[in-house]
Amino acid sequence: MLLVQKSSVLAAIFALSSGADAFSSSIHSTRASTQLHSTIPAPGSVTTSLTPPSKLDTSSTADLFNTRVQKTYGRYPITFVSGSGSVLTDETGRDYLDFVSGIATCALGHNNPSLTDAVCNQMKQLHHVSNLYFTPGQGQLAAWLCENSCADKAFFCNSGAESNEAAIKLARRHASNRGITDPVIITAEQSFHGRTLATVTATAQPKYHKGFTYGGEMVRGFSYTPYNDCEALQKLVDEINTTPEEDAKAGRKRGLAAIMLEPLQGEGGIIPGKPEYFELARKLCDEHGALLMLDEVQVGMGRSGSLWGHEQLGVVPDVFTSAKALGGGVPIGAMMAKGEAADVFGPGDHASTYGGNPLACAAGLAVAEYLSEHDVLANVQARGEQLEKGLADITSRYPDVLGEVRGWGLLKGVPIKEEAGCTAAELVGDAMEEGLLLVAAGPTVVRFVPPLVVTESEV
């Protein structure tokens, strides 16, 4: 009976397949005068219960945000409608020099012809089919990322948080494969790794945890240590790798799964990592079979003056993540891994519906090609030196207000001293009134993150 049922199913499939072949032939032979009739009427020819966007009152963008957009951001009272290079234009026609770049995202500036053409052309071909199939762009972008880094393989998703979420899952699976039942991931105080429940837990800033705990706890399995403090890191690793006696009797094993760090802390105040600290992290991971995972979401893709921020520190990670500038403003994220870490995930272990879709990868490839063919890293280094010198001159004139300039490449921060009597956000607002867009990095640091293609005259 089962054999008969299978035969019937196969017969039905083959019948459908024959119909599909006929359908395909008719599509190719009758494109001009088709025998296939769409059931979708022309716009305006029927009455529908849906209100089209074109019929909505859009006279005030601010009013729409106030009434229809959830208030997850404190926005400045300005509406941008266009941009070109390092310049943004608001709805009144006023131009602003953009040293925010969509928060370190628009690496090629606004309306870059190469990026625009790549995205437009891809939309005319194929923009999404899911990861059930191969698509050329995803393979090519993965190859470029691996060719220009220590990585062997890449996983694609849609954002920095998703990239870091993938890294966290990979670290846990890797630890599980080693017999660890209670894996612990170390992250640094004042870090920032994303807004999902796991990545915001990894973000060792209590202000981001408020209201999201269960019984006072965030996601278990994370421990925090001061950034750049070698002694504290060593002590914490020793503690983690000691399983409590009661847990051991119950057959549990605690152990270090990974150390997850930003090569330069961005949201934490533009704090560069120290080479000796990252050297120790690498050593400890090697000793305990754990993974060194580096969050390159903000500092990566050329912003530091090298393609990857960890190159500034002379350390090689097992896993690193990217997003923001990877797509030049088109949403895409990636988690790269080397060695055995690159083969931890198998089919079904992790996935992303949109991850690595043709449209996003076309943007990523356009950014990659532009960085490669226009020697953008040299511009980042030159403009970064110019920016640092100019900011240092300003801080020397206001020593009671501004602290010492810090950062790498075109990711610079200027601390605001306590006696200044103002916050970083207030100074950002004052700069905006003068036509310069900046962004705060915490309450006391003003961040300068212009497009990587910013010119000498603009700096």
Side-chain angles (χ1 to χ4, degrees), residues 30-217:
T30 61
R31 286 190 184 274
S33 56
T34 180
Q35 296 175 358
L36 303 173
H37 300 284
S38 172
T39 58
I40 301 175
S45 62
V46 297
T47 301
T48 174
S49 60
L50 299 179
T51 302
S54 57
K55 301 299 182 184
L56 298 174
D57 180 7
T58 58
S59 57
S60 173
T61 299
D63 286 347
L64 289 175
F65 270 75
N66 288 333
T67 59
R68 298 302 189 188
V69 178
Q70 294 188 29
K71 293 178 173 59
T72 57
Y73 281 86
R75 291 179 168 86
Y76 290 99
I78 186 169
T79 300
F80 289 115
V81 295
S82 65
S84 179
S86 300
V87 175
L88 282 172
T89 304
D90 71 10
E91 60 185 349
T92 71
R94 184 184 180 186
D95 290 337
Y96 294 78
L97 184 60
D98 182 14
F99 271 45
V100 177
S101 304
I103 312 182
T105 296
C106 299
L108 307 186
H110 305 282
N111 197 20
N112 176 273
S114 297
L115 179 57
T116 300
D117 288 346
V119 171
C120 290
N121 290 335
Q122 189 63 52
M123 277 299 296
K124 296 174 184 178
Q125 297 174 8
L126 188 69
H127 69 288
H128 179 74
V129 293
S130 87
N131 280 303
L132 295 175
Y133 316 101
F134 296 112
T135 51
Q138 184 175 154
Q140 187 179 3
L141 183 56
W144 183 85
L145 288 167
C146 294
E147 182 69 22
N148 292 279
S149 74
C150 63
D152 292 317
K153 295 179 182 178
F155 167 83
F156 291 102
C157 49
N158 311 287
S159 67
E162 288 184 54
S163 302
N164 288 330
E165 186 86 20
I168 289 167
K169 286 185 67 177
L170 187 148
R172 285 197 170 193
R173 172 55 66 89
H174 181 261
S176 177
N177 293 345
R178 296 188 291 121
I180 295 175
T181 61
D182 299 9
V184 180
I185 296 174
I186 293 176
T187 63
E189 294 173 3
Q190 296 304 115
S191 60
F192 188 88
H193 298 292
R195 299 279 189 170
T196 66
L197 200 53
T199 57
V200 80
T201 302
T203 296
Q205 297 194 54
K207 67 180 180 181
Y208 292 118
H209 300 170
K210 186 177 180 181
F212 299 109
T213 62
Y214 180 89
E217 289 186 329

Side-chain angles (χ1 to χ4, degrees), residues 257-375:
I259 299 176
M260 185 176 186
L261 301 167
E262 297 163 274
L264 177 150
Q265 288 192 331
E267 301 299 322
I270 318 301
I271 310 293
K274 294 181 179 178
E276 61 269 24
Y277 182 71
F278 280 78
E279 181 181 355
L280 175 62
R282 176 70 276 173
K283 176 175 176 289
L284 291 171
C285 286
D286 289 340
E287 288 177 352
H288 299 285
L291 301 177
L292 178 60
M293 308 196 305
L294 302 183
D295 180 344
E296 294 267 2
V297 170
Q298 184 164 180
V299 74
M301 284 299 290
R303 186 153 291 278
S304 69
S306 54
L307 187 59
W308 307 112
H310 61 259
E311 295 177 86
Q312 300 281 339
L313 299 167
V315 66
V316 177
D318 300 296
V319 176
F320 65 99
T321 57
S322 181
K324 287 189 179 289
L326 180 58
V330 176
I332 185 172
M335 182 271 290
M336 280 69 68
K338 70 182 291 289
E340 67 176 32
D343 294 317
V344 169
F345 282 155
D349 288 337
H350 196 53
S352 172
T353 297
Y354 291 110
N357 67 73
L359 182 63
C361 286
L365 286 168
V367 172
E369 190 74 18
Y370 201 94
L371 293 182
S372 304
E373 294 295 328
H374 291 79
D375 199 14

Side-chain angles (χ1 to χ4, degrees), residues 388-399:
E388 182 166 359
K389 183 178 179 181
L391 291 174
D393 180 60
I394 294 173
T395 59
S396 67
R397 285 185 273 141
Y398 302 95

